Amino acid sequence: MKPISNRNSLVFRSALRGCRSVVLTLLLLAPFCSSHANWNPVVPESVGMSGERLGRLDAAFEKMIEQEKLPGTVTLVMRQGKVVHYSALGFRDKESQAPMQKDTLFRIASQTKAVVSVGVMVLQEQGKLHLNDPVGKYLPEFMQTNVAQATDDGYEVVPAKRAITIRDLLMHTSGVAYGNGPGEDLWKKAGIQGWYFANRDEPIRDVVRRMASLPFQAHPGEQWVYGYSTDILGALIEVVSGQPLDVFLKAELFDPIGMGDTHFFLPDYKAGRLATVYGYQNGRLFRGPELGNMGQGAYVEGPRRCFSGGAGLVSTAKDYAAFLQMLADEGVVSGGRILSRKSVELMRINHLAPEVGYPWGNGMGFGLGFSVVLDPGMRGELGSKGEFGWGGAYHSSYWIDPEEDLVVVYFTQVIPAENLNDHQLLRNLVYQSIVD
């Protein structure tokens, strides 16, 4: 073997140092992934759950699919940061007999709200806004807004009693509805109705600018009103960050957490993985429309310019579970931190004053992006105080139970979903599986 000359040895060592430098740089630049990157289920008993009892979950949902109440489901349950149940049942598309897969993509609708709410908290931690700031500080048209108040012969438009704050938007106490209630005729005339904006060939900032000129349903802080508040937050993020909403979320959340299958609009090569929309009404499961607000084409076709912070994302059960586990881990993912522990704590506690109340269930309140359980007894369902979660219009749902160190994601695509008891069934079967 020919010996290496001093000169060649220097070149070799220099090259080796260069390679090490490149590798180190790549490691530093690589996005940190979820701290729970192993998605293979563990033995449930190792984290205080019963595998036998968890088996009841699939049996019950297979029965609902056989009875043609549901087309198919993906369910993912994590405890102590480990997957204990992960199943895909039924069909992604019944007519073609395409089976449901764990990587099936779902329209998550209002589950987008939690993601955008976290984005706002990221900006606060970067020192770029404060939750109690008036929205008008960043979106000037919101400095003075109006309210449509019902009268005996219709409604009257009056000035809002105070400015809407960023926290109002996070809490849904801004008074902004979905264009319904008094003043609905003005919302229809402005063409701003429907709960997502996928097919609009304009940025969400422009939509929100026109929205501010319309009368809202209640005065800020006086009522809990579900509507476009989180879409306004999406426009706020664009203005404050100087980036389109999709770019901001990808950089700050999706890439660091490892949510590679979460998009506002699907790349063409992923469109085939999107679940078909069905409806269940009058005891019958039927295929949804091909196009339109609730149809198959949403989130795939269209101009792809208008990013709905309130209802626009498509995701998988694994991606969304990784996002939720980050919140369960108080803002941490492997190799880095998305939010501080204190920000997560603030998000998951009740922010509603007693006189405002929460209209959708006793024993419940609302935090910054999701509902919060205040009193399990008054609620009357299995769960824990401090549990937080939400759902989507296509009948998906999720919750995080900090007391039990539990994360649950349930995805299906059914709208309308008339008299289905699957959410209650899921809750009962998950909690009956805890045996420690």
Side-chain angles (χ1 to χ4, degrees), residues 130-145 162-169 205 208 212 232 236 239-240:
H130 189 280
L131 299 188
N132 291 317
D133 286 340
V135 179
K137 179 177 178 179
Y138 309 96
L139 310 179
E141 64 273 17
F142 279 88
M143 193 57 81
Q144 175 61 63
T145 56
R162 67 164 173 82
I164 297 169
T165 66
I166 295 172
R167 194 161 73 105
D168 285 325
L169 295 174
R205 178 70 185 94
V208 165
I232 299 169
L236 174 76
V239 169
V240 174

Side-chain angles (χ1 to χ4, degrees), residues 96-347:
S96 66
Q97 295 289 288
M100 187 68 76
Q101 304 285 356
K102 290 179 179 177
D103 69 348
T104 294
L105 290 150
F106 295 84
R107 305 156 187 81
I108 66 172
S110 286
Q111 292 185 211
T112 305
K113 290 178 169 66
V115 177
V116 170
S117 298
V118 168
V120 172
M121 301 303 290
V122 167
L123 289 174
Q124 176 169 263
E125 292 198 345
Q126 292 174 352
K128 295 179 179 179
L129 55 75
H130 189 280
L131 299 188
N132 291 317
D133 286 340
V135 179
K137 179 177 178 179
Y138 309 96
L139 310 179
E141 64 273 17
F142 279 88
M143 193 57 81
Q144 175 61 63
T145 56
N146 297 312
V147 174
Q149 292 185 162
T151 63
D152 291 340
D153 56 352
Y155 66 88
E156 62 175 348
V157 176
V158 300
K161 294 178 182 177
R162 67 164 173 82
I164 297 169
T165 66
I166 295 172
R167 194 161 73 105
D168 285 325
L169 295 174
L170 288 163
M171 296 162 58
H172 294 285
T173 55
S174 66
V176 182
Y178 275 129
N180 50 299
E184 183 175 359
D185 58 322
L186 298 177
W187 282 77
K188 287 181 178 179
K189 185 177 180 180
I192 305 179
Q193 280 188 314
W195 52 272
Y196 89 101
F197 307 111
N199 293 322
R200 288 183 179 271
D201 191 13
E202 61 181 336
I204 189 65
R205 178 70 185 94
D206 291 348
V207 179
V208 165
R209 186 177 287 110
R210 294 203 311 279
M211 195 181 292
S213 68
L214 299 169
F216 299 145
Q217 187 170 305
H219 290 279
E222 293 190 356
Q223 295 181 35
W224 191 90
V225 177
Y226 197 55
Y228 289 121
S229 285
T230 317
D231 289 286
I232 299 169
L233 288 174
L236 174 76
I237 287 175
E238 292 197 337
V239 169
V240 174
S241 71
Q243 298 174 300
L245 184 59
D246 64 330
V247 174
F248 173 85
L249 293 179
K250 186 176 189 299
E252 299 292 341
L253 300 181
F254 302 159
D255 285 350
I257 297 172
M259 300 169 67
D261 273 331
T262 302
H263 309 272
F264 281 101
F265 299 97
L266 289 177
D268 292 342
Y269 70 92
K270 292 186 179 183
R273 290 165 49 197
L274 185 62
T276 297
V277 179
Y278 290 85
Y280 185 79
Q281 197 168 33
N282 299 322
R284 183 177 70 89
L285 187 70
F286 55 92
R287 188 181 181 93
E290 289 298 323
L291 297 173
N293 280 2
M294 306 296 186
Q296 321 300 2
Y299 311 105
V300 178
E301 299 178 355
R304 305 188 182 199
R305 292 185 61 204
C306 201
F307 306 115
S308 169
L313 285 176
V314 173
S315 191
T316 62
K318 179 173 73 67
D319 270 22
Y320 206 78
F323 168 73
L324 297 179
Q325 190 62 52
M326 176 274 294
L327 292 173
D329 287 341
E330 298 182 324
V332 174
V333 293
S334 180
R337 180 177 284 279
I338 302 297
L339 285 178
S340 69
R341 174 174 59 85
K342 298 306 292 184
S343 286
V344 176
E345 288 176 358
L346 186 65
M347 293 187 75

Side-chain angles (χ1 to χ4, degrees), residues 71-84:
T73 63
V74 177
T75 306
L76 198 157
V77 182
M78 302 179 74
R79 197 172 195 218
Q80 298 176 19
K82 297 179 175 63
V83 177
V84 294

